[in-house]
Amino acid sequence: MEKIPSAMKLHLRYRLYIAEMNLDINVLRIFEDYVKEMEAKKKEPEVNKGILFFQKKFVEFRKEIDELRHEMHLQKMKLAALDRDNKTLDKKTYKADNHLDLKKRYKTYRESFDKLKKKFRLFEEEWLN
């Protein structure tokens, strides 16, 4: 049987996830600056192809971050209201609000974003020097 976390535990989890995604937005901005630097210095077809690939990926991840943060923010506010009103999170509400699905989506996002960071760092090391 699945154990339902407290409203405050979920609220804090969403706060942490949102903070991590805010950091990821800053990382994407820095990566975009690297891409601009590469565009200015390198004109090899391989570099241009890589630049276009990463620019597209950065936009996709930014959109995904915005969507996840928005959904988590809404859930976080619902949970804060439950806690403020001294109500408990019941199984029906927990399932209806799709907390488990949102956690899985975040985990998938996190793994994908971490892979993209590694891939970009390798690309940057190879071509920005």
Side-chain angles (χ1 to χ4, degrees), residues 92-117:
K92 182 179 177 185
T93 305
Y94 178 76
K95 285 189 175 207
D97 287 343
N98 284 325
H99 293 288
L100 193 56
D101 181 57
L102 204 48
K103 182 179 179 180
K104 286 178 185 176
R105 283 180 54 205
Y106 179 77
K107 184 179 179 191
T108 300
Y109 155 78
R110 176 90 270 136
E111 290 168 357
S112 297
F113 189 76
D114 290 344
K115 285 179 187 175
L116 178 73
K117 286 192 310 185

Side-chain angles (χ1 to χ4, degrees), residues 59-106:
V59 169
E60 290 171 4
F61 272 98
R62 181 57 197 256
K63 182 180 178 198
E64 187 173 358
I65 289 169
D66 289 343
E67 289 172 2
L68 271 172
R69 282 188 327 161
H70 176 72
E71 289 179 46
M72 287 182 180
H73 181 72
L74 293 175
Q75 291 300 335
K76 183 178 69 116
M77 294 299 102
K78 279 180 163 182
L79 293 163
L82 276 176
D83 192 62
R84 182 189 62 234
D85 297 339
N86 291 321
K87 295 181 180 176
T88 58
L89 183 63
D90 61 21
K91 191 172 189 172
K92 182 179 177 185
T93 305
Y94 178 76
K95 285 189 175 207
D97 287 343
N98 284 325
H99 293 288
L100 193 56
D101 181 57
L102 204 48
K103 182 179 179 180
K104 286 178 185 176
R105 283 180 54 205
Y106 179 77

